[in-house]
């Protein structure tokens, strides 16, 4: 008893801690609008903290960007619903890293004495929107923004990417996968089999997760074998191995200062601490990345987060690695020095393809699930790793959560975001390769994919090409015979001919 008292008293009252979490999945159609979902999970997170009136104490309400509906003032509308009057409100941009960026900056503000309690929430109703669209209807939801605001990305795609129709993640990640595979000396068959083995265990986790969208287990072969209900979406990826976004899901996390948690009487065993975290960026344009299938920024974020947490990979009891595409998982494993088949597993939720991928919100679900896992005492010494990925394997957040408070936010240490970004803005850990809009002549394939239609048929090849002199460009493969050949033989490293056609390059060989 004395030991418990001493530990309690040794915690700095400004130390941020997570005290309430909630997740919710809606299975009936039509489901509620996003604002309803945000309110629901916010109230459940407060109930999870076990403190009546906690929502009225909020100093900050932060909402993750929703694709489902554009509200006029999302955070203010939620504050009205919750009868809260926070002095700080925020609405994120589009990014899989947005939840952790909001949580990290909230933690830093709590540590600095700028606030005592913050709510971060988000949710999507894309399954409902899809059902309404199929019925020829439109949602009649509340507080619609007029005029409709611009899309919530931080930077639009490069003009050459848009011209070559290279803006969907299912194509950009597939290009990085083929580049990685070729450098690793794997054949397409090797990659496919390894992908199935890596991702099949995630389906077992999803099957046991009551919040998961797909609560069933698949074999490795069922995941990677193309078929009528498992079409190729962007070669080499099949539908069952990529993030599934048409979901109705929401999650919320409440973070407070340890001093407030003490005053409110929140049990120590309900508190989870952000022990270390970091943010880093690779180049925004895929073709500008020096090594197309690698992420030096992710490796930097991994080192920084673990170092700040005062642990290494052996000290992590549970993990949830962002799993939008296989190359994101593989890159994270490489960054942390982790075997993709590690016995701890790669997820506590089931991952984005199986638990569900509510666009930018997923990391709130993985954080909530990790908090619950750590509270249960799974994995000594009570550390859990949660990662996020934004844009085209561009933005990276790594967070170590723990039942034990650390010193990541003590005076003089700063927060992980500021430490890695630096005073001048986000740090790019590699100089970008210049991109040529069009080029006539020969080049060498650095990475590629084959885009498939909704009927599963191959439509066109999309290629990133190394040019003489060190620049890169994009190209389309339009010849059906060459498109078919691209899926049958290795193109990376092959010399091809580029001929401009207006704003695009057309590739032949």
């Amino acid at each position: 008893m004395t030991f418990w008292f001493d530990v309690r008293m040794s915690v700095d009252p400004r130390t941020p801690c997570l005290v309430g979490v909630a997740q919710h999945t809606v299975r009936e159609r039509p489901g509620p609008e996003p604002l309803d979902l945000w309110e629901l999970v916010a109230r459940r997170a407060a109930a999870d903290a076990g403190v009546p009136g906690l929502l009225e104490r909020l100093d900050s309400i932060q909402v993750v960007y929703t694709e489902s509906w554009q509200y006029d003032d999302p955070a203010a509308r939620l504050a009205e619903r919750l009868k809260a009057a926070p002095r700080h409100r925020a609405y994120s941009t589009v990014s899989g890293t947005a939840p952790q960026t909001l949580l990290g900056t909230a933690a830093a503000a709590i540590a600095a004495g700028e606030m005592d309690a913050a709510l971060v929430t988000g949710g999507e109703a894309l399954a409902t929107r899809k059902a309404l669209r199929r019925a020829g209807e439109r949602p009649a939801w509340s507080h619609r923004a007029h005029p409709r605001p611009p899309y919530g990305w931080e930077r639009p795609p490069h003009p050459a990417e848009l011209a070559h129709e290279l803006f969907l993640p299912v194509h950009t990640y597939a290009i990085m996968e083929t580049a990685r595979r070729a450098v690793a000396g794997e054949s397409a068959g090797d990659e496919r089999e390894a992908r199935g083995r890596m991702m099949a265990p995630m389906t077992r986790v999803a099957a046991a997760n009551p919040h998961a969208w797909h609560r069933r287990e698949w074999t490795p072969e069922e995941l990677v074998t193309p078929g009528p209900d498992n079409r190729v979406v962007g070669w080499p990826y099949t539908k069952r191995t990529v993030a599934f976004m048409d979901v109705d899901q929401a999650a919320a996390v409440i973070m407070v200062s340890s001093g407030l948690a003490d005053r409110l009487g929140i049990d120590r065993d309900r508190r989870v601490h952000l022990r270390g975290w970091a943010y880093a960026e690779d180049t925004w344009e895929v073709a500008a990345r020096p090594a197309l299938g690698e992420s030096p920024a992710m490796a930097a974020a991994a080192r920084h987060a673990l170092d700040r947490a005062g642990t290494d990979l052996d000290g992590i009891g549970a993990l949830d690695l962002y799993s939008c595409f296989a190359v994101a998982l593989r890159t994270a494993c490489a960054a942390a020095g982790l075997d993709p088949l590690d016995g701890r597993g790669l997820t506590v939720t089931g991952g984005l393809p199986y638990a569900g991928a509510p666009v930018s919100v997923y990391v709130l679900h993985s954080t909530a699930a990790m908090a619950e896992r750590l509270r249960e005492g799974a994995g000594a010494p009570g550390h859990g790793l949660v990662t996020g990925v934004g844009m085209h394997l561009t933005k990276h957040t790594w967070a170590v959560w723990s039942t034990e408070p650390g010193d990541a936010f003590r005076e003089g240490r700063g927060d992980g975001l500021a430490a890695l970004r630096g005073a001048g803005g986000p740090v790019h850990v590699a100089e970008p390769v210049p991109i040529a809009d069009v080029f006539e002549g020969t080049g060498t394939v650095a990475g590629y994919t084959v885009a498939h239609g909704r009927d599963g048929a191959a439509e066109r090849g999309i290629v990133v090409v190394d040019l003489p002199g060190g620049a890169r460009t994009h190209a389309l493969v339009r010849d059906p015979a060459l498109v078919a050949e691209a899926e049958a033989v290795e193109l990376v490293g092959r010399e091809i001919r580029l001929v401009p056609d207006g704003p695009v390059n057309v590739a032949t060989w």
Side-chain angles (χ1 to χ4, degrees):
M1 180 69 77
T2 300
F3 174 75
W4 177 263
F5 178 80
D6 289 343
V7 170
R8 184 186 180 98
M9 293 299 292
S10 68
V11 178
D12 187 318
R14 299 308 319 167
T15 300
C17 57
L18 183 159
V19 296
V21 299
Q23 300 180 70
H24 184 64
T25 296
V26 180
R27 303 193 186 278
E28 67 272 9
R29 302 289 169 270
E33 67 174 281
L35 180 58
D36 294 335
L37 292 173
W38 301 341
E39 179 185 5
L40 174 68
V41 291
R43 294 191 182 282
R44 288 186 178 178
D48 180 64
V51 179
L54 180 57
L55 294 176
E56 287 80 2
R57 291 176 173 266
L58 292 173
D59 301 306
S60 175
I61 290 180
Q62 304 182 54
V63 179
V64 178
Y65 187 93
T66 179
E67 296 270 359
S68 303
W69 188 253
Q70 297 308 307
Y71 291 97
D72 54 3
D73 193 341
R77 295 301 182 184
L78 178 58
E80 291 172 1
R81 290 282 193 95
L82 299 178
K83 296 180 172 56
R87 58 180 179 272
H88 174 259
R89 300 192 296 265
Y91 187 57
S92 81
T93 54
V94 176
S95 179
T97 59
Q100 186 55 57
T101 300
L102 296 179
L103 287 169
T105 52
I110 289 170
E114 297 168 4
M115 64 176 69
D116 265 322
L119 165 73
V120 180
T121 187
E124 293 286 358
L126 290 175
T128 285
R129 287 211 61 142
K130 184 176 181 179
L132 291 173
R133 185 168 60 251
R134 286 178 170 174
E137 302 175 17
R138 294 183 177 181
W141 294 338
S142 65
H143 307 300
R144 185 171 187 170
H146 295 288
R148 184 181 176 89
Y151 189 66
W153 53 30
E154 292 179 39
R155 286 172 51 178
H158 189 283
E161 292 175 327
L162 288 173
H164 289 86
E165 301 178 70
L166 183 59
F167 49 84
L168 294 178
V170 73
H171 299 145
T172 57
Y173 281 80
I175 286 174
M176 290 183 280
E177 184 73 86
T178 59
R180 182 213 61 83
R181 180 196 75 208
V183 170
E186 298 175 1
S187 68
D190 293 336
E191 183 281 320
R192 182 172 57 251
E193 292 177 9
R195 179 169 18 115
R197 291 195 304 271
M198 177 176 65
M199 302 187 81
M202 301 172 71
T203 71
R204 292 198 293 272
V205 177
N209 176 4
H211 303 293
W213 194 257
H214 295 301
R215 296 197 64 195
R216 61 163 294 180
E217 185 174 344
W218 277 298
T219 67
E221 294 75 18
E222 288 173 326
L223 294 180
V224 300
T225 303
D229 58 349
N230 190 35
R231 60 187 174 86
V232 175
V233 291
W235 187 86
Y237 292 144
T238 51
K239 184 178 179 180
R240 290 180 186 155
T241 59
V242 304
F244 188 82
M245 296 195 298
D246 287 336
V247 298
D248 285 8
Q249 292 179 316
V253 170
I254 295 177
M255 184 176 286
V256 304
S257 66
S258 292
L260 179 60
D262 289 342
R263 295 193 296 275
L264 296 176
I266 298 176
D267 290 342
R268 292 276 303 176
D269 60 6
R270 303 296 294 170
R271 306 183 198 180
V272 180
H273 302 272
L274 184 54
R275 191 175 174 96
W277 87 287
Y279 172 96
E281 290 181 4
D282 284 298
T283 59
W284 280 68
E285 291 77 26
V286 171
R289 195 159 300 174
L292 204 57
E294 298 178 7
S295 173
M298 186 185 286
R303 290 192 305 270
H304 194 78
L306 291 168
D307 287 348
R308 290 180 64 77
T311 188
D312 57 18
L313 194 62
D314 291 338
I316 300 296
L319 307 98
D320 199 282
L321 304 182
Y322 202 82
S323 53
C324 51
F325 298 93
V327 71
L329 277 174
R330 287 164 165 153
T331 307
C333 289
L338 178 71
D339 185 338
L341 301 180
D342 188 275
R344 287 168 288 189
L346 303 182
T347 180
V348 294
T349 64
L352 286 88
Y354 317 113
V359 195
S360 297
V361 183
Y362 172 80
V363 171
L364 282 183
H365 289 269
S366 56
T367 299
M370 183 62 72
E372 292 171 346
R373 175 72 65 88
L374 294 175
R375 286 169 171 176
E376 293 167 359
H383 301 335
L385 175 65
V386 175
T387 73
V389 171
M391 304 308 290
H392 306 287
L393 205 62
T394 307
K395 304 165 67 177
H396 310 283
T397 52
W398 285 57
V400 177
W401 295 93
S402 180
T403 53
E404 304 171 0
D407 63 354
F409 291 95
R410 286 184 183 171
E411 185 177 356
R413 297 218 47 188
D415 69 277
L417 180 70
L420 204 55
R421 279 185 166 177
V427 172
H428 293 283
V429 296
E431 287 297 318
V433 175
I435 296 175
D437 292 345
V438 291
F439 178 83
E440 184 166 6
T442 59
T444 305
V445 175
Y448 68 103
T449 185
V450 175
H452 284 242
R454 297 195 66 82
D455 60 358
E459 294 182 338
R460 67 192 181 281
I462 309 174
V463 187
V464 172
V465 186
D466 288 324
L467 299 178
R472 285 219 183 98
T473 193
H474 307 86
L476 297 176
V477 181
R478 292 172 172 168
D479 185 320
L482 296 183
V483 170
E485 185 177 346
E487 294 188 355
V489 302
E490 179 62 81
L491 288 191
V492 176
R494 172 177 283 198
E495 187 174 276
I496 61 174
R497 174 77 183 175
L498 303 179
V499 177
D501 181 13
V504 305
N505 296 308
V506 178
T508 58
W509 55 86

